[in-house]
Amino acid sequence: MTARPERVPRRMSATPDRPVQRLSTDPDAVERDLAKLVLTVVELLRQLMERQALHRVNKGDLTEEQEERIGMTLMILQQRMEEMCDRHGLRMEDLNLDLGPLGTLLSPAGQVHG
């Protein structure tokens, strides 16, 4: 039986599309990265709620008053997300994680997949 050499993990190399990101220990960067992670999760949930609301509207499950209330709530949440991004020096586009061959995590701005 011959010993196999251990597989050494390949180093990620930077490409124009995908720069290598390194762990930063700068407290300001850590705070910004944490805010980015939290805002990404909140935006994902907001988009999922928006899709569900559109599905219910299309299905006819909601009264006109409920549709109006949901629409206003989603608009306010969108505004708050933009305000939070501004507060942390982020853009909404910064929240969209690249999942490699799967594409991006979030729908492009203004586009809701049904």
Side-chain angles (χ1 to χ4, degrees), residues 17-19 93-106:
D17 311 356
R18 205 180 273 196
E93 299 83 32
D94 295 333
L95 306 181
N96 202 356
L97 301 177
D98 180 3
L99 302 176
L102 299 176
T104 56
L105 177 66
L106 303 172

Side-chain angles (χ1 to χ4, degrees), residues 4 16 20 26 37 39 46 54 58 86 92 97 99-100 113:
R4 286 185 159 168
V20 173
D26 175 38
L37 175 62
L39 289 172
R46 188 197 68 76
L54 284 174
N58 291 336
D86 286 345
M92 291 297 290
L97 301 177
L99 302 176
H113 299 291

Side-chain angles (χ1 to χ4, degrees), residues 5-20:
E6 282 188 40
R7 180 175 261 187
V8 177
R10 210 174 73 196
R11 255 185 108 164
M12 290 184 65
S13 57
T15 65
D17 311 356
R18 205 180 273 196
V20 173

Side-chain angles (χ1 to χ4, degrees), residues 23-88:
L23 180 63
S24 174
T25 56
D26 175 38
D28 292 334
V30 170
E31 181 179 337
R32 182 174 181 267
D33 289 346
L34 179 59
K36 181 178 175 182
L37 175 62
V38 170
L39 289 172
T40 297
V41 171
V42 171
E43 177 61 12
L44 176 62
L45 293 173
R46 188 197 68 76
Q47 286 188 10
L48 292 172
M49 288 184 340
E50 186 174 352
R51 287 183 195 136
Q52 182 65 29
L54 284 174
H55 175 72
R56 290 186 67 195
V57 166
N58 291 336
K59 196 173 173 185
D61 284 352
L62 302 173
T63 66
E64 198 171 305
E65 181 182 320
Q66 289 172 321
E67 288 178 20
E68 185 70 27
R69 193 171 52 228
I70 288 173
M72 287 298 287
T73 300
L74 291 172
M75 283 178 25
I76 291 169
L77 184 54
Q78 175 68 30
Q79 290 172 343
R80 296 299 183 265
M81 285 295 300
E82 291 170 3
E83 291 169 7
M84 293 295 291
C85 283
D86 286 345
R87 189 174 300 152
H88 293 284

